[in-house]
Amino acid sequence: MAGYIDPGMRPADKLIPWYFVAFFALVFAVNGIFIYVATTSLPGVIEENHYEVGLAYDKRIAAHKAQEALGWNAAADFSGKTLSVELADHDGKPLKGASIQATMVRTVQEGHDFDVFLSEIAAGQYATDIDFPLPGQWDAYIYVTWDGQPYQITKKIVVQK
């Protein structure tokens, strides 16, 4: 029957369908905020060519085993403004004449990474002074080449200004 109103129906009961509409509008609004934050914030990509790196995983394991087989002793240290590296072979003899490059990576902010080269200051001892553009945590990826053999060291550095 048209115009029939249940005598037990309260005026607030007419709003029940709108409660459903408001609930779904709230869900869409929150999802929209999540989508906005996800698309405008840090992408979380650590490796640009992640597929190729994944395919080369066995090569990385082999390189790590080859590095361990060398038996070198390597130590990296950062003090004040100086990054230093000490290298010795498996018998403890200093490795003279190595080529050492360090890539300084700012882990929390893109666009500030840079490379430095370490000079030999004594037999098996290498160092360089570094002026960091920003204070905070940095990762030093140190690449050593001696007698055609590659070697890698990683060192976390905290810079205070």
Side-chain angles (χ1 to χ4, degrees):
M1 293 184 173
Y4 175 74
I5 298 178
D6 182 5
M9 186 178 208
R10 298 174 301 175
D13 291 343
K14 294 179 183 179
L15 298 176
I16 290 176
W18 291 107
Y19 294 148
F20 286 102
V21 171
F23 170 76
F24 284 105
L26 177 66
V27 168
F28 286 129
V30 170
N31 284 339
I33 292 170
F34 287 157
I35 291 170
Y36 172 77
V37 170
T39 58
T40 59
S41 64
L42 183 67
V45 175
I46 295 173
E47 184 67 49
E48 291 295 328
N49 302 318
H50 53 83
Y51 182 72
E52 289 80 9
V53 170
L55 291 177
Y57 184 68
D58 289 338
K59 290 179 184 176
R60 293 179 74 175
I61 291 174
H64 180 72
K65 287 181 180 178
Q67 179 170 315
E68 285 181 346
L70 291 173
W72 293 357
N73 297 314
D77 187 41
F78 180 75
S79 178
K81 292 175 61 174
T82 304
L83 175 65
S84 60
V85 174
E86 290 188 33
L87 294 173
D89 65 7
H90 60 281
D91 294 328
K93 296 177 187 170
L95 296 178
K96 301 175 190 175
S99 171
I100 302 179
Q101 173 186 349
T103 300
M104 311 308 293
V105 178
R106 178 119 168 120
T107 56
V108 297
Q109 190 175 13
E110 292 180 349
H112 297 285
D113 303 348
F114 61 95
D115 295 331
V116 294
F117 294 91
L118 283 75
S119 302
E120 189 168 11
I121 58 172
Q125 295 181 357
Y126 303 83
T128 189
D129 288 339
I130 303 174
D131 289 322
F132 287 91
L134 296 169
Q137 182 172 321
W138 293 77
D139 285 341
Y141 295 99
I142 304 165
Y143 303 101
V144 177
T145 304
W146 183 79
D147 197 26
Q149 298 291 324
Y151 196 84
Q152 182 178 346
I153 310 164
T154 303
K155 175 78 175 165
K156 289 207 178 289
I157 295 173
V158 177
V159 177
Q160 299 175 354
K161 286 198 177 183

